[in-house]
Amino acid sequence: MTSDETALTRRPLSALALVLVALCALATDARAQDWPQKPLRLIVPFAPGGVTDTIARSSAEWLTRRLGQNVIVENRPGASGAIAVEAVAKSPADGYTLLMASLPQMAILPAMTKTSYDPVRDFAPITIVGSNMFALAVHRSLPADTLPKFVSFVKARRGEVAYASAGSGTVSHLTMALFMQRAGIDMVHVPYKGGGPAMADTAAGHVYLYFGNLSEVIPHATGNRIKVLAVSGDRRAPQLPNVPTVAESGYPGFRTSTWNGIAAPARTPPAVIERFAREMQPAPGDPGFSGRLQNLGVDPVCGTPEEFARTLKADMAIWAEAVRISGAKVE
């Protein structure tokens, strides 16, 4: 076959390939337009009753009304949340299986151990539903009512002051690890099996302090057993307007927060991802939806997939550094 004949043969084949690609794209768009045709599952990596579960159920209720199909919450706790994340990563990318993604599974656990999923490669981010900062609660017996005074107190007792966390490698532990490095202080880590016991022992005076979720700290903040010295966000918490941020208290740039968002398996049709994000966008303006989240100390967000992707990338770097500083290991 001559070169001219080869070229003539290739042209129809190239044209056929382009036609096939276009037909596949049209078929995908058609399926996305018909979606959803059956109930959807929202997989939660924790047991019922916690903050993530409550956010998931509020999101499922909202999406059920908006999509016209039931969104069923399915709790799959275990292996620090990895079981649920792995299950969604391996699910068909058809828009019917979603993950109630949380920062620990997406940005912390992969920094602590090898996981069978990649938070970026294996998922299509949809929206961060809500985010929340942390509050530094100290027992009332601690003779400090500001963060600088607290730091001075700890520096005078290097390695003697004990702080609680919800467990090794949790956000409460790593937030304190980041702050200790920034402030140049050293304390004794006392890990608990969850934030509830950690907060309870702080309020009881068994440990001096706990950097906990707002939902854990706020119920104790109106009593006389603890003092809240600072919050970890980039602005003050609406629920604690008189409490300054860590950044305001002499540590500019310090910020930590956690979030819960909705993600789908990678290669889920873009039209489906966009529909999900579009339907969630008005939720923060709904008094019922936003009220449920704010009662948990969570700020409603419901941003774009692109914003979710940027946040995940930035947080993976922050928490990988925190894991390195703390030496946290999977228990």
Side-chain angles (χ1 to χ4, degrees), residues 206-231:
H206 300 310
V207 287
Y208 264 127
L209 65 143
Y210 173 53
F211 223 141
N213 274 316
L214 287 179
S215 61
E216 297 161 345
V217 174
I218 286 173
H220 299 271
T222 55
N224 61 356
R225 296 197 296 171
I226 67 164
K227 297 177 281 189
V228 184
L229 301 187
V231 294

Side-chain angles (χ1 to χ4, degrees), residues 1-314:
M1 183 180 292
T2 66
S3 58
D4 289 342
E5 289 172 328
T6 301
L8 289 171
T9 303
R10 284 176 178 166
R11 286 191 192 116
L13 289 174
S14 298
L16 178 60
L18 290 172
V19 170
L20 289 173
V21 168
L23 288 173
C24 288
L26 288 172
T28 299
D29 287 344
R31 287 195 299 270
Q33 289 171 7
D34 292 337
W35 174 92
Q37 294 294 313
K38 61 181 182 180
L40 301 86
R41 295 184 303 153
L42 180 57
I43 311 299
V44 180
F46 301 107
V51 171
T52 299
D53 178 69
T54 303
I55 294 173
R57 293 181 187 277
S58 297
S59 301
E61 180 183 326
W62 177 267
L63 285 170
T64 294
R65 297 200 306 266
R66 304 281 294 194
L67 296 175
Q69 289 286 347
N70 285 331
V71 180
I72 301 165
V73 173
E74 184 177 315
N75 298 88
R76 288 200 196 179
S80 300
I83 290 174
V85 181
E86 291 169 4
V88 176
K90 295 175 182 177
S91 295
D94 56 8
Y96 290 98
T97 303
L98 306 168
L99 174 67
M100 193 74 234
S102 66
L103 182 140
Q105 287 76 46
M106 302 299 276
I108 295 177
L109 191 59
M112 294 174 63
T113 187
K114 183 175 176 58
T115 58
S116 65
Y117 61 88
D118 183 291
V120 175
R121 185 185 64 240
D122 294 336
F123 293 94
I126 295 173
T127 186
I128 291 178
V129 179
S131 69
N132 63 277
M133 63 188 78
F134 297 86
L136 179 57
V138 303
H139 189 257
R140 63 179 180 181
S141 64
L142 194 148
D145 54 8
T146 66
L147 194 59
K149 290 179 181 178
F150 163 75
V151 170
S152 296
F153 175 84
V154 174
K155 282 184 174 179
R157 296 159 181 82
R158 183 170 293 274
E160 297 178 11
V161 178
Y163 74 94
S165 82
S168 180
T170 59
V171 183
S172 63
H173 173 209
L174 299 179
T175 291
M176 185 58 79
L178 287 171
F179 179 70
M180 286 195 299
Q181 185 202 46
R182 181 71 185 275
I185 57 178
D186 182 29
M187 294 187 288
V188 179
H189 178 212
V190 182
Y192 285 76
K193 292 185 177 179
M199 186 66 244
D201 267 16
T202 302
H206 300 310
V207 287
Y208 264 127
L209 65 143
Y210 173 53
F211 223 141
N213 274 316
L214 287 179
S215 61
E216 297 161 345
V217 174
I218 286 173
H220 299 271
T222 55
N224 61 356
R225 296 197 296 171
I226 67 164
K227 297 177 281 189
V228 184
L229 301 187
V231 294
S232 69
D234 54 8
R235 67 189 191 289
R236 296 191 180 195
Q239 301 89 342
L240 299 169
N242 296 322
V243 176
T245 65
V246 173
E248 284 180 282
S249 303
Y251 302 92
F254 185 93
R255 180 193 69 84
T256 66
S257 64
T258 189
W259 43 258
N260 290 102
I262 300 174
R267 296 175 296 281
T268 297
V272 170
I273 298 298
E274 291 166 10
R275 173 84 186 278
F276 268 129
R278 187 170 66 249
E279 297 298 355
M280 287 299 302
Q281 190 174 9
D286 179 79
F289 184 92
S290 61
R292 283 192 292 274
L293 267 61
Q294 288 167 352
N295 286 340
L296 299 170
V298 174
D299 295 324
V301 179
C302 298
T304 67
E306 294 76 18
E307 290 168 339
F308 191 171
R310 287 195 296 269
T311 297
L312 177 58
K313 181 178 179 182

